[in-house]
Every structure is written in structure tokens, then in C-alpha cells.
Amino acid sequence: MFTHIMIGSNDLEQARRFYDATFAALGGKPGEMDARGRLIYVHEGGRLMVTTPIDGNPATAANGGTIGIAAESPDHVLAWHAAGTVNGGKSIETPPSERPNGAFVAYLRDPDGNKLTARSKPTK
């Protein structure tokens, strides 16, 4: 359904440290900067792009928005969460935990305030 998700950042190097670490925890590769100055992550058919806003105004997080990232296992979710908190992210909502459907879930805000979740597949 989606071709990509693009989020804004006020500090691309800080965003790079955060996303390189969190995607590495999920088995992904570091991001690459394209010719237009956008940081691009490609993993298992998904694409996340991070950029400074084109209009020159500060980047802000989407109020009510969440970006969901697939993880293979609860261990991957925990590694993602740990990598994020060490690299400028903030743990939010509940601690990483199993949901009633068997999915293991964790939430972070990236250094720019974007809300992210990593979740393993439901088992029930």
C-alpha cells in the first residue's frame, strides 16, 4: 500500500545515529544519503526516509501518528528498544511487553519526537 514513509528531522546526523542503531538491531543496514540530502533506509521491502523540511521550517512530530516497524522476534524488539534509548531516543508508554495477541511491542520517540513502535508478529 505504501511506497515509503518520510519524516522530518532538525539534525540529520543525530537521526542517522538513532536510525542506524535501531535498524541494525533489527538486522537492517545503515542509511544512505541521496543526492537531495535525504537519509534513506530500505529493509525487507519497506522504505523510511528522513529529511530536513523542504519549506525551511523546523521539523515537528506528527501528533497522534505512529510509525510501526516489523521485528522478527521479541529479542529483536528488545534490541531495537535498547539501541534507540542509547542513541538519543526516549522510551515511552509502557515498557516493552507482550500484548494479549502474543505480539511483543515496544515504543520510542526518536530524537526529533517522532513516535515509533517495533512489534513482533502476533502468536495468537
Side-chain angles (χ1 to χ4, degrees), residues 4-119:
H4 66 280
I5 296 171
M6 179 152 340
I7 58 174
S9 175
N10 294 305
D11 184 338
L12 286 178
E13 284 310 310
Q14 182 179 27
R16 179 191 292 266
R17 285 189 300 276
F18 176 86
Y19 284 104
D20 279 2
T22 57
F23 282 122
L26 298 175
K29 296 180 180 175
E32 294 187 13
M33 197 70 71
D34 74 1
R36 295 175 67 187
R38 301 174 299 190
L39 188 55
I40 300 173
Y41 293 87
V42 179
H43 185 64
E44 295 184 7
R47 181 180 289 238
L48 175 71
M49 302 169 72
V50 185
T51 188
T52 54
I54 294 171
D55 66 5
N57 290 316
T60 59
N63 185 20
T66 303
I67 298 169
I69 299 169
E72 289 186 32
S73 69
D75 287 341
H76 280 104
V77 173
L78 290 169
W80 173 87
H81 189 264
T85 58
V86 168
N87 288 280
K90 181 179 178 185
S91 182
I92 59 169
E93 299 189 13
T94 60
S97 60
E98 186 175 325
R99 294 293 168 94
N101 68 357
F104 199 82
V105 180
Y107 288 92
L108 290 171
R109 289 230 182 244
D110 75 5
D112 287 290
N114 296 294
K115 183 178 174 184
L116 311 167
T117 181
R119 1 182 111 232

